[in-house]
Amino acid sequence: MSGKLLVLGGGGHAQVVMETMISLAWQERIVGILDADPDHVPENPFAIPVLGTDAELEHFPPESTQLVNGLGAVGKDHHRERLFLRLQKQGYQFPSLVHPDAVVARGVRVGAGAQIMAGAVVQVGSVVGENAIVNTGAVVDHDGAVGAHAHVGPGAVLCGGVTVDEGALVGAGATVIQGVHVGHHAVVGAGAVVVRNVANGARMAGVPARELPE
Ligand code: JB2
């Protein structure tokens, strides 16, 4: 892989993304951070400069520059997902990011821009979709499917054969038992234990997890 790399967003998730990029020895290629609010980006320990807003992309065409999505929060407006899709449509490529201290079984398919962070384990037969996050220390056991733009939070566990559809969030430390299906853009709260299928867009919390009212 070659070419310049820009990080989108400079907040909490971007710090983890940048550490992963440094761990992959990509530092020579990282030219900077673009952020919607460039004056309030916290300093990063890697001395990666903030170049301005996404308007700066006009100086970094897709032919020479690849992007890394540093927005983490899934949020109601699906901003991380929309930003990825808009810039992908403009021709930008998003390399997948697999931390050298993640364990990814042979044959696992990892989509464009997917991010698998330090200490995560993705077991045999699984698929991680484009722009999805398997965050720090999360587990996707055998035959799992993490849909495009979905986020498996830090320390969450998907048991064997779990499917998490597009744009869904499984919060930190949650457990989803084997074979369960989590619908698209559903949200599973931190620490929940999901024992039944989750409807599209539902919000679940508790042990065992129950659907929260709108
Ligand atoms: O359209 C945008 C845009 N919208 C917001 N383009 C660019 N280039 N940047 C954008 N941003 C910027 O993303 C915001 O101005 C802000 O600096 C950054 C988001 O940072 P924040 O720390 O608020 O959220 P985060 O998504 O990086 O991290 C959250 O989610 C992670 C998964 C935190 O809760 C973390 O603790 C969590 N691990």
Side-chain angles (χ1 to χ4, degrees):
M1 204 183 19
S2 60
K4 297 174 190 160
L5 289 168
L6 282 171
V7 179
L8 303 174
H13 186 65
Q15 302 283 327
V16 181
V17 158
M18 290 186 279
E19 195 285 326
T20 304
M21 296 167 80
I22 301 290
S23 295
L24 289 165
W26 291 1
Q27 61 270 21
E28 302 292 318
R29 301 179 47 210
I30 307 172
V31 287
I33 297 165
L34 303 181
D35 194 285
D37 187 7
D39 295 333
H40 296 101
V41 172
E43 276 189 28
N44 64 80
F46 318 108
I48 298 172
V50 180
L51 304 181
T53 68
D54 296 345
E56 295 301 314
L57 282 170
E58 85 175 275
H59 306 297
F60 297 97
E63 294 73 29
S64 61
T65 310
Q66 296 183 330
L67 304 178
V68 177
N69 200 345
L71 274 65
V74 168
K76 270 202 156 167
D77 65 353
H78 315 311
H79 191 55
R80 173 186 159 84
E81 174 176 340
R82 287 192 293 117
L83 185 67
F84 175 89
L85 291 173
R86 177 164 61 80
L87 293 172
Q88 193 186 50
K89 207 169 169 186
Q90 288 176 23
Y92 288 99
Q93 287 187 352
F94 288 74
S96 60
L97 208 58
V98 178
H99 195 287
D101 293 323
V103 176
V104 178
R106 275 173 282 273
V108 166
R109 280 181 286 142
V110 178
Q115 301 172 348
I116 303 177
M117 300 314 194
V121 179
V122 182
Q123 269 293 6
V124 63
S126 296
V127 181
V128 180
E130 66 175 13
N131 195 40
I133 303 171
V134 180
N135 219 328
T136 310
V139 172
V140 178
D141 208 344
H142 67 90
D143 302 306
V146 179
H149 321 293
H151 181 167
V152 183
V157 175
L158 308 184
C159 298
V162 166
T163 306
V164 174
D165 275 356
E166 197 169 306
L169 168 66
V170 178
T175 299
V176 183
I177 71 160
Q178 66 275 11
V180 163
H181 171 251
V182 177
H184 72 75
H185 298 99
V187 175
V188 173
V193 176
V194 180
V195 298
R196 293 208 177 91
N197 290 346
V198 175
N200 296 340
R203 296 186 310 137
M204 308 292 292
V207 182
R210 296 187 196 288
E211 187 166 355
L212 298 174
E214 286 288 306

